[in-house]
């Protein structure tokens, strides 16, 4: 077995990866992190709900507040025989650290901790406050994790000034991309009712697939908005459609369609719902439509946080970061309710959720440097 180099962030990342914290299990990761934070003067609060482990940790009581946010849970491993080494035995091979969660996102969690340790050691009397918001329910349904911590903080009037989420955002090399927002996600379950009958007697039936088809074509062709500087235009996609009994001689009595909007901040869930209903109503359909809003869009402009993280990447990696809002949802959508500036910054995401997930060894300590320099840029020169 390859010997692990004695670097602080790598050592902690290894310890975290070795814990099989498949959603919603935490497997002791929060206790490990809390043990590192307590000697630094952090107040530690567990906000566990619904079988999910959540930690809110804060050092200081003053504003501004810089929060690091992330998750200890990982997705399932997939077939074990497809892994070149056991997924929960962190292994170094060919300049890479392998293990489930290496990129998403236990290396980021380790980098949070070592960055804070280095910053507090150098600046014990820093301005403002440092916080961590960690959950074991990001990769799952995300109903008892970050959203519950945010609700608890909001209920007692606590707000954050800046938040860095450690999601793996880099594409080719560490720091080449920052997520400064995410699109919203709005799903619909549409059921169009017809009248079942024999295909040889269509005049005695009403085919819901035939009735729905023109409306689907119109929905697919709509330009919902133009997007903006940070967001591409809103998209609408059918993800599933089914009807009938499987027989070839029966006109179905109902057609069900599952669809999803990924929408820019220039649209709202309410406006998209209203336009969808208008189209369906105009086509005279007999239908039911159930909606599920799993995430609102959020955006952080070119302010203090984007500038500080970009400068930290430049100094640590010699890279100019691109701002992007691509990809799926993240817990940033919840944090944005109590924080005006939220960005995501983390390792290269090429292997996340795959077998043989890994992170480059030479990116691990620089990631800690990015987070430490972000602390310096914001809390050593706080706004007036």
């Amino acid at each position: 077995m390859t010997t692990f180099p004695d670097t602080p962030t790598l050592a902690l990342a290894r310890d975290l990866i070795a814990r099989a914290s498949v959603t919603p299990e935490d497997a002791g990761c929060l206790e490990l992190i809390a043990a590192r934070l307590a000697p630094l003067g952090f107040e530690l609060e567990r906000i566990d709900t619904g079988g999910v482990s959540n930690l809110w940790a804060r050092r200081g009581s003053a504003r501004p507040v810089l929060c690091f946010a992330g998750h200890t849970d990982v997705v399932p491993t997939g077939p074990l025989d497809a892994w070149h080494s056991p997924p929960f035995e962190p292994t170094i091979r060919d300049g890479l650290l392998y293990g489930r969660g290496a990129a998403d996102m236990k290396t980021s969690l380790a980098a949070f901790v070592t960055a804070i340790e280095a910053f507090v050691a150098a600046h014990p009397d820093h301005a403002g406050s440092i916080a961590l918001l960690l959950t074991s329910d990001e990769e799952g349904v995300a109903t008892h994790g970050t959203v519950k911590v945010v609700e608890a903080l909001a209920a007692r009037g606590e707000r954050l000034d800046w938040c860095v989420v450690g999601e793996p955002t880099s594409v080719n090399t560490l720091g080449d991309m920052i997520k400064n927002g995410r699109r919203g996600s709005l799903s619909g379950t549409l059921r169009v009712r017809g009248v079942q009958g024999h295909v040889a007697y269509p005049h005695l039936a009403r085919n819901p697939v035939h009735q729905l088809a023109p409306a689907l074509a119109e929905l697919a062709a709509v330009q919902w908005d133009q997007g903006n500087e940070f967001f591409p235009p809103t998209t609408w996609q059918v993800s599933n459609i089914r009807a009938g009994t499987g027989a070839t001689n029966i006109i179905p009595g109902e057609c069900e369609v599952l669809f999803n909007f990924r929408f820019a901040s220039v649209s709202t869930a309410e406006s998209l719902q209203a336009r969808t209903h208008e189209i369906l109503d105009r086509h005279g359909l007999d239908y039911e439509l159930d909606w599920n809003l799993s995430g609102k869009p959020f955006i952080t402009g070119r302010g203090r946080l984007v500038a500080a993280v970009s400068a930290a990447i430049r100094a640590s990696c010699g890279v100019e970061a691109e701002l992007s809002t691509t990809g799926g949802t993240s817990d940033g959508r919840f944090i944005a309710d109590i924080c005006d500036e939220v960005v995501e910054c983390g390792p290269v995401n090429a292997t996340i959720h795959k077998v043989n997930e890994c992170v480059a060894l030479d990116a691990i300590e620089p990631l800690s440097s990015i987070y430490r320099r972000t602390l310096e840029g914001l809390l050593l020169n706080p706004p007036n």
Side-chain angles (χ1 to χ4, degrees), residues 147-173:
V147 64
K148 293 300 183 183
V149 179
V150 167
E151 288 173 358
L153 297 177
R156 60 199 194 203
E158 288 192 58
R159 286 192 61 84
L160 312 176
D161 293 279
W162 308 294
C163 183
V164 177
V165 185
E167 289 291 344
T169 58
S170 301
V171 180
N172 297 309
T173 188

Side-chain angles (χ1 to χ4, degrees), residues 296-355:
K296 296 181 293 184
F298 69 93
I299 190 68
T300 295
R302 300 177 189 276
R304 284 290 304 273
L305 182 57
V306 167
V309 175
S310 298
I313 291 171
R314 194 178 305 117
S316 300
C317 307
V319 172
E320 290 295 331
E322 174 188 354
L323 298 182
S324 174
T325 60
T326 57
T329 59
S330 78
D331 276 1
R333 68 192 190 275
F334 305 127
I335 298 167
D337 286 342
I338 59 169
C339 185
D340 292 332
E341 297 186 45
V342 181
V343 302
E344 302 168 29
C345 175
V348 171
N349 57 25
T351 64
I352 62 173
H353 294 208
K354 296 182 179 181
V355 298

Side-chain angles (χ1 to χ4, degrees), residues 182-183 225-235 262-266 324-327:
R182 295 277 188 163
R183 294 174 295 174
D225 56 47
Q226 301 292 324
N228 58 22
E229 177 188 1
F230 297 112
F231 286 104
T234 292
T235 62
R262 291 302 166 106
F263 63 103
S265 58
V266 293
S324 174
T325 60
T326 57

